[in-house]
Amino acid sequence: MRVVLAEDLFLLRDGLVRLLEAYDFEIAAAVETGPELARALAELEPDVAVVDVRLPPTHTDEGLQCALDARRNRPGLPVLVLSQHVEQLYARELLADGSGGVGYLLKDRVFDAEQFVDAVRRVAAGGTAMDPQVIRQLLSRRAADDRPLGRLTPREREVLELMAQGRTNAAIAEKLVVTERAIAKHTSNIFAKLGLEVSDDDNRRVLAVLAYLDQDR
Amino acid sequence: MTIATKSGGDSARVRGVGRAALRGLGLALVVLPGAVLCFTLSVVSIALIPIGLGIVTTPWVLTGVRVFADWRRVLAAEWYGVRIPSAYRPLPEDANPWTRTSGMLRDPATWRDLRWLPVDMTAGFVTALLPAALLLYPLEGFALAAGLWRVFPDGYWYGFVPVTGQGSAFAAAALGLVLLFFAHFLTPRLLEGHFLLTRAVLGSGQRELAERVRVLTETRRDAVDTSAAELRRIERDLHDGAQARLVAMGMDLGTVEVLLEKDPEQARRLLAQARQSSADALAELRDLVRGIHPPVLAERGLGDAVRALALRLPVATEVEVDLSSRPDAPVESAAYFAVSEVLTNAVKHSGADRIWIDLHHARAEGMLRISVTDNGSGGAVTGAGSGLAGIERRLGTFDGVLAVSSPAGGPTMVTMEIPCALS
C-alpha cells in the first residue's frame, strides 16, 4: 500500500516512515511542506495520505487545506489527518463531503502502533477513523441538550463512541471483550433509540452516527 | 510674467476675502440659532433626567450637539486647516438609554461641548460676523460720501467720524477706505480666528491628555501584571507537570535498561508506564498551549477560533462572523479570551439553553464589535469581584470597552468593542 506522508518535524517524519515501513507500507513520498504535499498527492496517486494539519510555509492549517483540495480533485482520496490538537471544526470539514475515507487523529495516537496502523488501513479502505476525543466532545455536547442520547445505557454509549470512531462490530467486540453478537444487539438498540437506519456498510454506519451527532448545528 | 502672477495673486486674495466674508455671514446666521437651540435643549433635557424623561431625550439631544460640533470641526479643517480633535468616548450601539445617558454625561467631551455652546453663540457669533461687517461697513462710508449723509440732518456717527456735511462725509469715506484696506488683509484671518477660538474651547485640553496618560499607565500596569502572572503560571505548570513527567519517564527508561535482562516482565511494565507518562506530558503541554495561544486561533484566526469554541460548549450556540481579514495577533488573542470568558460565565451562571455570538468589524469606525447574548436568567453585573471586571481590564489594554445589559429574568447581552484595523 503506497503512502504519501507530510510532516514538517524531522524526528516525527522519520519515526512515522519507520513505523509504516515496519508494517509493510510503501512510502511513496515523505514531504515537509504544503506545496510539496499538493504536488505529491496530484502526481503520485497514493492509496492513502497521512498529513499533519500544520505545515510550512504558513505554519497554519496548510496540510488540512491541501488534503481538502486533493479530495475535491479526487473525491474519496483516503486522507488521515494528524494533529497536535483535535477540533470538531476540522473534523466536520473533513467529513463534510460524505464520501468517507477520512481520518482525524491526535498525534499521540501513534504511541499505540497497532491502533494507529489499524486506523491508516481503515481509512485507506474507505472507512473513517475519528479521534476518541472528538467523539467524546460530540457526545457530551449532545447529551447536554438532547434526550435520546440520555436514554442510552453506559454500555451503549461506550459502543456508540467506538462505532463513531469508525470501528467494526468485530473490533468493538474485541475491544470491550464481549461477543460480536452482544455488540450487534447493542448497536441495533442504539440505532432504534436514536432513530437511525440500520446499515451493514461500516462507513455509512459511522457517517449516520456522526450526522446524527452533528445535526441542527 | 511677474505682473501677471501678482495680479493673479491679488484677484485670488480678493476672492479669498469675499469668500471669507460670505462664509462668515452664512456661519453667523446658522451659529446663533443653532447654538441657542442646542444649549437650551441640552439644559432642559439634563434637567429632566430626575423625572425620567431626560434619560430618553438626553442621548438624542447630546448626539445632536455632537453633530453640530462635528460639523464645525469639519468646516474648520476644510476651510482653514484648523484641526479640532474629537475625543468622544465610544458608546455601545445597542446599549439601553440609561447606559447611553450616563455614559455621555460621564464623558468630559460632553461637558466641553456644553461649555462651548454659550461661547459660540456670543464670541463665536461675533467673530463669524466680523469679516462680513468689515467688508460691508466701508460700503456704508462710501454711500455717506455719495450723498446718503443728507438723510441724517442731525449728524451721524460713522465709526469715530461725526458726519455733518459733505466734508465730513468724505472723511467717513476715507475711513471706509482704510477699513477696506485692513479688511483686505484681515478678513480671512478673522474667520480663521473664529475657528481658533472654537478650537480653544472645544478641543481637548491638557486635562484630557493627563487623563489619557493616567488611563494608559493604569492599563499598562494591568497588562504587565497579567502577563507576569501568566508567565508564573506557565512556569509552574511546566515545572509541576510536563517537566516532572519527563523526568519520571527518563528514570523509568533508565531502570528498564538495567532490568531488561534481569526481569523482562518488570521492564515491560515500566515501559508501559513510561509511555503513559509521555502521553500525559503531551496532554498537559497541549492544554498549556491552548491556554496561551489556542491552535485554531493561530491557524484560522478569530472567526473560526470562536466557532471552534462554540462547538465545545455544552449549550447550543450560533456564531455569526463578518470579518474580511484578520486583526493584529494581540487584539485577536485578547478578543478570543474575552469571548471565551464571557461564554464560560454564561454557561456557568446564566442557565441559558441558547447562546448567540455576533462578531463583526465596522471598517468605517475601525472597531471590532462582539456581542454575546444568552437567553438565561440575567442579573449579570460588571464591577469589582465579577468575572466581567477581569475581561474589562483585559480589553482596556487595547482601549476596548465592555457593556453589559442583563435585566433580572434575562436575556443577558454582553457587548465588547475594540478599536483596531484589519490587516
Side-chain angles (χ1 to χ4, degrees), chain B residues 28-73:
Chain B
L29 290 179
V30 182
V31 158
L32 189 61
V36 170
L37 186 70
C38 283
F39 190 66
T40 319
L41 284 179
S42 306
V43 169
V44 170
S45 177
I46 291 172
L48 287 182
I49 287 177
I51 66 161
L53 188 61
I55 295 171
V56 183
T57 57
T58 304
W60 292 98
V61 172
L62 289 182
T63 306
V65 173
R66 286 176 183 195
V67 170
F68 187 59
D70 281 338
W71 172 64
R72 302 296 282 287
R73 289 185 171 99

Side-chain angles (χ1 to χ4, degrees), chain B residues 82-159:
Chain B
V82 176
R83 304 223 161 269
I84 306 172
S86 165
Y88 300 114
R89 288 179 190 163
L91 281 174
E93 233 169 40
D94 24 24
N96 57 37
W98 172 244
T99 322
R100 296 181 72 86
T101 303
S102 67
M104 280 177 136
L105 288 182
R106 259 179 297 161
D107 189 347
T110 300
W111 297 101
R112 218 162 31 230
D113 281 355
L114 294 181
R115 218 168 42 228
W116 162 69
L117 287 172
V119 176
D120 195 42
M121 66 178 83
T122 52
F125 172 69
V126 171
T127 45
L129 199 57
L130 259 178
L134 213 51
L135 266 192
L136 294 175
Y137 199 51
L139 296 185
E140 190 188 340
F142 301 149
L144 284 170
L148 188 67
W149 63 274
R150 287 174 215 281
V151 185
F152 309 102
D154 300 339
Y156 176 78
W157 284 91
Y158 179 76

Side-chain angles (χ1 to χ4, degrees), chain A residues 86-90 92 137 141 217, chain B residues 290-291 294-297 301-319 321 332-345 347 355 357 359 370 372 416:
Chain A
V86 292
E87 286 291 347
Q88 269 191 61
L89 195 71
Y90 295 175
R92 288 149 50 97
Q137 267 180 25
R141 186 38 236 278
R217 303 243 13 181
Chain B
R290 204 190 282 286
V296 191
L297 186 63
L302 186 58
D304 276 353
V306 170
R307 283 201 186 99
L309 193 60
L311 285 174
R312 281 201 299 273
L313 292 185
V315 177
T317 307
E318 276 169 47
V319 185
V321 177
E332 221 175 30
S333 176
Y336 174 85
F337 283 108
V339 172
S340 164
E341 273 171 63
V342 171
L343 287 174
T344 310
N345 274 347
V347 169
I355 298 176
I357 305 171
L359 235 160
I370 307 167
V372 178
M416 290 168 277

